[in-house]
Amino acid sequence: ESECIFCAALDAGNDEENLIVTRGERSFVILNKYPYTNGHLMVAPYEHVAELQALDGETVAEIMSLASGG
């Protein structure tokens, strides 16, 4: 089983080098290293789940806030 690339970036201790833009309480924003378009960002929860519906309401709210620039 290989390590999650996002967890590895979070654990590395150097957010700038690992392209982490910001960390929230429940989720984080990271630049896509190989973007489809320049400046492409990803907002991801810390929790590993298969579907957005599996996250609690607070996590979904934080993801939406971060995605909208909050």
Side-chain angles (χ1 to χ4, degrees):
E1 190 174 315
S2 61
E3 183 178 19
C4 168
I5 60 170
F6 301 114
C7 290
L10 289 165
D11 292 341
N14 186 336
D15 285 359
E16 186 175 340
E17 185 176 298
N18 288 286
L19 307 176
I20 297 171
V21 176
T22 192
R23 293 175 185 245
E25 228 178 272
R26 300 167 174 268
S27 55
F28 64 100
V29 179
I30 187 169
L31 283 167
N32 188 343
K33 195 169 197 168
Y34 304 104
Y36 301 108
T37 59
N38 289 338
H40 183 242
L41 298 170
M42 294 181 281
V43 181
Y46 296 125
E47 184 179 359
H48 288 220
V49 296
E51 299 175 344
L52 185 64
Q53 296 83 356
L55 294 170
D56 60 59
E58 292 86 5
T59 302
V60 173
E62 183 177 274
I63 288 170
M64 296 304 157
S65 176
L66 289 170
S68 66

